Amino acid sequence: MIIVLAKGASDDEKRNIIKRIEGLGLAVHISEGKERTIIGAIGDESILIEKPINSMPGVESVMPILKPYKLVSRDFQSEDTIINIDGIEIGGKKIQCIAGPCSVESEEGLLETAKAVNTTGTVFLRGGAFKPRTSPYSFQGLGEQGLKFLKEAKDATGMKIVTELMDPRDLDVIYKYADVIQIGARNMQNFRLLKDVGGIDKPILLKRGLSATIKELLMSAEYIASEGNRRIMLCERGIRTFETETRNTLDVTAIAVIKKLSHLPVIVDPSHAVGRWDLVAAASKAAVAAGADGLIIEVHNDPQNALCDGSQSLKPEKYIALYEELKKVAAAVGRSL
Ligand code: PEP
Ligand code: MN
């Protein structure tokens, strides 16, 4: 249920309402908006039908949340969530780019790429240390050594680290190094992993599963939010279709659909969506035009010799040129880069 408090409801009234809801065995989630406070009562809602709270002082209205996802829905919070990471905002007017190699491969290569992308003003560095590869014989990532290289690049540039967590057993080590923890497409419905990252205080970049519907993506975000962590970015990274010219199909409309259904920021990954470096620019521009709050783009200093996803990686100079183009698209839709 959503309990909308009256404008100007007093702190005492608010406390009494919360006490009553908790007393009925429901969990309370509070959303303090600019205009109003909304209380989400999560659990068996039928109890609120038997024991109504509409008449309590300070309550304006009580509505059921009809969607299966609640905390992440626009019904629960009408204002956009803006995630603040050490003063950098994701979900505000400025579009944030996350750039870097698919996987961390070497200290020098990573540093070269980080420094190059950072010249544009890009402040998030991506790089996988634990890689979800289709083949067990493919490069699996450098593990903690890769995280140490990311830390060195962070120390050298001041960039924030975005890196993937694949397994709950690696949470402690990833937590030590990451500023944003990525949950990959293949793990979107690893509910144990989602609950674990729901219990920590780091922002999460949740990628849409290869064949997941938008509703399933939102339900997975709800797993994270229901454990307390509300700093979630949703990532559209292309879905499986019958088309074979591209690795996946970028679902551009998902950006607008998610923005209607949820208050969470939307990040687009054009690299995994198209799987070809020559289409990354077009997909990135489409994403910004459609309302994305950020992009995560694979950039490699030597794509031809990359150990992972070289064919979809931009060379640093191509990324820098694209960044300039994106500024114009962003300006055209009232955003900045
Ligand atoms: C990645 O970002 O490196 C990655 C593996 O992406 P996805 O989980 O979307 O396939
Ligand atoms: Mn990749």
Side-chain angles (χ1 to χ4, degrees):
M1 289 281 183
I2 288 178
I3 296 109
V4 182
L5 300 197
K7 250 185 180 166
S10 72
D11 286 347
D12 267 354
E13 287 170 342
K14 206 193 291 185
R15 259 195 299 277
N16 282 338
I17 296 163
I18 291 170
K19 219 164 104 190
R20 173 79 182 274
I21 299 168
E22 285 176 341
L24 293 170
L26 299 170
V28 168
H29 292 267
I30 301 170
S31 166
E32 302 265 10
K34 276 197 202 92
E35 294 281 312
R36 280 187 202 296
T37 299
I38 292 177
I39 298 177
I42 313 288
D44 178 10
E45 298 188 340
S46 60
I47 194 141
L48 285 177
I49 295 164
E50 284 161 35
K51 299 186 187 301
I53 56 169
N54 314 42
S55 54
M56 287 187 78
V59 173
E60 183 177 284
S61 58
V62 178
M63 297 172 288
I65 310 178
L66 297 173
K67 303 206 172 62
Y69 44 88
K70 301 178 190 299
L71 301 173
V72 304
S73 76
R74 273 258 183 234
D75 299 343
F76 177 62
Q77 179 184 313
S78 57
E79 289 143 24
D80 288 342
T81 283
I82 298 180
I83 299 174
N84 191 314
I85 304 171
D86 302 328
I88 305 160
E89 288 188 342
I90 298 186
K93 187 163 186 259
K94 186 168 159 56
I95 292 166
Q96 295 291 348
C97 287
I98 304 164
C102 179
S103 61
V104 178
E105 297 164 11
S106 73
E107 189 181 3
E108 312 75 51
L110 180 67
L111 202 57
E112 188 184 326
T113 304
K115 282 184 175 161
V117 298
N118 188 232
T119 60
T120 60
T122 299
V123 288
F124 289 97
L125 175 66
R126 64 150 290 149
F130 297 89
K131 293 304 302 176
R133 303 305 300 277
T134 302
S135 164
Y137 307 117
S138 302
F139 176 59
Q140 304 285 306
L142 295 179
E144 186 166 7
Q145 186 56 58
L147 297 172
K148 288 184 176 155
F149 291 157
L150 283 165
K151 169 82 169 52
E152 281 172 29
K154 175 179 177 167
D155 290 343
T157 60
M159 295 176 82
K160 306 274 165 214
I161 298 172
V162 181
T163 197
E164 178 166 353
L165 170 68
M166 287 201 336
D167 189 307
R169 287 168 292 189
D170 301 323
L171 179 56
D172 289 347
V173 68
I174 293 270
Y175 184 89
K176 241 178 23 197
Y177 295 92
D179 295 294
V180 174
I181 296 179
Q182 177 176 324
I183 300 295
R186 289 155 193 81
N187 265 319
M188 189 201 82
Q189 288 187 315
N190 182 340
F191 301 118
R192 168 72 197 274
L193 189 63
L194 299 177
K195 283 191 172 191
D196 282 359
V197 296
I200 62 170
D201 60 358
K202 296 239 180 194
I204 306 300
L205 176 76
L206 176 64
K207 299 190 94 176
R208 182 177 181 182
L210 281 68
S211 302
T213 63
I214 292 169
K215 192 192 267 180
E216 286 164 339
L217 172 64
L218 293 169
M219 290 307 296
S220 290
E222 186 77 13
Y223 260 94
I224 300 172
S226 67
E227 294 294 317
N229 190 351
R230 309 268 193 91
R231 299 205 294 163
I232 308 163
M233 297 157 229
L234 301 171
C235 180
E236 162 57 39
R237 45 78 72 205
I239 47 174
R240 284 232 163 127
T241 68
F242 49 81
E243 184 52 67
T244 54
E245 288 295 328
T246 49
R247 182 174 177 180
N248 292 291
T249 295
L250 177 62
D251 184 2
V252 180
T253 45
I255 304 162
V257 174
I258 296 170
K259 288 262 157 202
K260 276 200 189 298
L261 298 176
S262 175
H263 50 82
L264 296 174
V266 178
I267 308 294
V268 170
D269 176 345
S271 309
H272 290 88
V274 298
R276 292 167 43 173
W277 72 268
D278 60 328
L279 300 177
V280 167
S284 302
K285 289 180 206 168
V288 169
D293 298 296
L295 296 170
I296 176 165
I297 300 180
E298 287 188 337
V299 182
H300 195 285
N301 62 313
D302 182 13
Q304 280 178 345
N305 290 305
L307 297 177
C308 185
D309 286 350
S311 57
Q312 67 191 34
S313 299
L314 296 182
K315 288 186 179 151
E317 60 268 26
K318 286 260 185 296
Y319 175 77
I320 293 166
L322 170 61
Y323 199 91
E324 285 307 307
E325 294 279 292
L326 290 173
K327 280 185 185 166
K328 294 180 219 157
V329 184
V333 292
R335 309 286 291 267
S336 63
L337 200 76

